[in-house]
Amino acid sequence: MGAAVFFGCTFVAFGPALSLFILTIAGDPLRVIILVAGSFFWLVSVLLSSLIWFVSVQVSNKNDSSLQYGLLIFGAAISVLLQEAFRYAYYRLLKKADEGLATISEDGRSPISIQQMAYVSGFSFGIISGVFSVINILADAVGPGIVGVHGDSQYYFLTSAFLTMAIVFLHTFWGIVFFAACEKRKPLHIAGVVLSHLITSGLTFLNPWYEASLIPIYIITLGMGVWAFVAAGGNHRNIRKCLACKRQESNQVMVYSALQVPNED
């Protein structure tokens, strides 16, 4: 039973992400490099936020449970702010790299667009965040024992897997919207990304009341997905073309030469 729970929750949490990686990233070495570098930026942000939280706990009264719970919320908020700060730093780094790639290319254009960079960087933040949030839970899912014996929720592993899947998609959408806002100089959109990230992080403190946390998080995920679609340049015409699945006729004019090869005698 433990193995079934482990593999089932793993596929729920990372199945869509694995499909996206194989179909959209794995075939391009440049995108893989951006993915690995983005994961490193996220790790550094979490390291700094963990250090701040650890120092706060050490200098505070460890016997005060309410104070420690407040410091946990404080640490989560600091982690969100540092993640978004490092997302901006990564955006600036990718912009410099994009200018360098355009300089050395033959046609003077970068081999990857800023929208693609936004997607891959957001995906990198999401996948590494999902791994760190659920890896210990999946390790416990193998056993021994089973959740719910002492009255706890038996849906703990399953809801954690669905929450991880939402976090992966949310970071991807946040990355797209954040990069588009930086390109178009829209600070309110950046503030919207940070605020939605803070709300999502705060909703996790409602667990184990999973209905109050998971449902709003998925509503935020859906809303951010629509926002990311619009920020990336999508519109209703793109949706109609995708649903119609019709090949566009080429507007190119093919010219045939009137000259013919002489027949051999």
Side-chain angles (χ1 to χ4, degrees):
M1 184 65 182
V5 173
F6 171 80
F7 286 109
C9 292
T10 301
F11 291 145
V12 168
F14 299 111
L18 179 61
S19 301
L20 288 174
F21 173 76
I22 294 174
L23 295 175
T24 62
I25 298 176
D28 190 336
L30 185 57
R31 296 181 186 180
V32 174
I33 294 173
I34 295 174
L35 178 74
V36 175
S39 301
F40 173 77
F41 269 70
W42 186 89
L43 287 172
V44 174
S45 71
V46 172
L47 176 62
L48 291 178
S49 61
S50 300
L51 182 61
I52 294 173
W53 173 79
F54 178 77
V55 172
S56 302
V57 171
Q58 294 301 315
V59 300
S60 64
N61 183 9
K62 297 182 180 179
N63 297 324
D64 190 344
S65 59
S66 60
L67 175 61
Q68 295 303 315
Y69 187 74
L71 288 176
L72 184 62
I73 298 176
F74 168 75
I78 290 296
S79 178
V80 169
L81 296 177
L82 282 176
Q83 287 178 50
E84 297 304 328
F86 272 80
R87 196 192 303 275
Y88 177 74
Y90 194 43
Y91 162 77
R92 298 299 303 175
L93 178 64
L94 289 178
K95 283 289 290 184
K96 292 293 183 181
D98 183 62
E99 294 173 1
L101 290 172
T103 302
I104 64 176
S105 64
E106 296 180 355
D107 57 358
R109 294 184 298 178
S110 174
I112 184 171
S113 66
I114 192 65
Q115 290 84 1
Q116 293 171 342
M117 288 182 177
Y119 163 71
V120 178
S121 65
F123 183 82
S124 68
F125 273 51
I127 196 67
I128 194 66
S129 175
V131 169
F132 265 74
S133 64
V134 83
I135 189 66
N136 291 331
I137 297 174
L138 292 177
D140 292 336
V142 179
I146 187 170
V147 174
V149 174
H150 299 291
D152 300 324
S153 174
Q154 59 182 335
Y155 302 109
Y156 173 68
F157 292 123
L158 188 60
T159 52
S160 298
F162 274 103
L163 178 60
T164 301
M165 181 175 63
I167 291 297
V168 174
F169 280 115
L170 274 171
H171 269 289
T172 305
F173 299 149
W174 285 330
I176 295 172
V177 175
F178 193 96
F179 276 43
C182 291
E183 283 289 296
K184 299 177 181 178
R185 302 182 184 276
K186 295 182 177 180
L188 290 180
H189 290 192
I190 297 176
V193 171
V194 176
L195 181 61
S196 63
H197 197 169
L198 285 170
I199 293 174
T200 302
S201 180
L203 286 171
T204 59
F205 285 93
L206 298 177
N207 293 333
W209 187 17
Y210 299 116
E211 298 86 353
S213 61
L214 199 60
I215 294 176
I217 287 175
Y218 266 86
I219 293 175
I220 294 174
T221 304
L222 180 61
M224 288 303 306
V226 175
W227 191 1
F229 176 75
V230 175
N235 52 49
H236 63 280
R237 296 187 185 89
N238 302 125
I239 298 177
R240 287 207 303 266
K241 290 179 181 179
C242 180
L243 295 177
C245 295
K246 294 181 180 180
R247 297 180 60 183
Q248 298 293 327
E249 296 182 358
S250 177
N251 294 325
Q252 296 179 352
V253 178
M254 185 172 294
V255 179
Y256 293 91
S257 175
L259 298 178
Q260 296 182 355
V261 178
N263 297 327
E264 295 181 359
D265 294 334

